[in-house]
Amino acid sequence: AYVASNLHLYTVPLSIFLKRAREFDFSSNNDHTRSLALVQRVLRIYNKPLVDVINKIVNKKADAVTQTLIARHEENLGVYTPPNDWKLSSCQGDAIILLEEIFMQHRKRLSEMDIIDRWGEKIDILFSGNAV
């Protein structure tokens, strides 16, 4: 019920975030870590159970109580209601572009590093607790 009544707070910001996150700096050492951490924090919210609930709601497969709750919420929002034709899958293209941008910036950063920088990064990862 909480997700249904706040559906637009899950869908609209995600769509905006995926488009704007491409502007983050993934190329410099310090900003890369911060930018990647922010992307991870946002995307961790959208776990499998939440995605299933959102898909169920936007695909109109939710139960009658949930559909009534959504209709009431949209009625309360009035003219400020975001469009109803939004689907979670519509963010897929933006998510793919974002991941490609992160990958390309990371590859570029690695190619510009010399051996000392690479070892320094490995040591930083080891001591920061982010070792794989």
Side-chain angles (χ1 to χ4, degrees):
Y2 179 82
V3 174
S5 62
N6 294 294
L7 181 65
H8 304 304
L9 296 176
Y10 283 95
T11 57
V12 174
L14 175 65
S15 180
I16 293 169
F17 176 80
L18 288 173
K19 289 179 179 157
R20 298 294 306 271
R22 291 183 298 208
E23 298 170 13
F24 291 166
D25 185 9
F26 296 104
S27 59
S28 69
N29 286 338
N30 293 334
D31 291 337
H32 169 76
T33 305
R34 271 192 299 252
S35 297
L36 194 56
L38 183 58
V39 170
Q40 288 174 333
R41 284 181 63 191
V42 169
L43 295 182
R44 265 193 205 125
I45 293 168
Y46 294 89
N47 57 24
K48 177 85 170 112
L50 178 62
V51 169
D52 290 344
V53 169
I54 291 172
N55 278 331
K56 194 178 198 183
I57 293 168
V58 298
N59 292 331
K60 310 287 188 223
K61 295 180 180 172
D63 57 20
V65 174
T66 304
Q67 291 295 353
T68 304
L69 182 63
I70 293 168
R72 181 179 248 182
H73 182 67
E74 289 175 350
E75 181 182 312
N76 288 339
L77 288 174
V79 296
Y80 301 106
T81 304
N84 292 7
D85 59 349
W86 187 89
K87 302 276 188 240
L88 197 55
S89 60
S90 65
C91 287
Q92 185 176 0
D94 291 325
I96 290 170
I97 291 170
L98 173 61
L99 293 174
E100 287 174 348
E101 179 70 23
I102 292 169
F103 178 75
M104 294 302 291
Q105 291 286 341
H106 179 68
R107 296 289 297 193
K108 179 182 175 192
R109 186 171 65 91
L110 286 179
S111 69
E112 293 171 351
M113 294 172 75
D114 61 12
I115 190 73
I116 300 207
D117 291 333
R118 289 179 194 224
W119 277 101
E121 185 170 291
K122 290 181 191 243
I123 290 170
D124 287 344
I125 289 171
L126 184 67
F127 288 112
S128 70
N130 294 332
V132 187

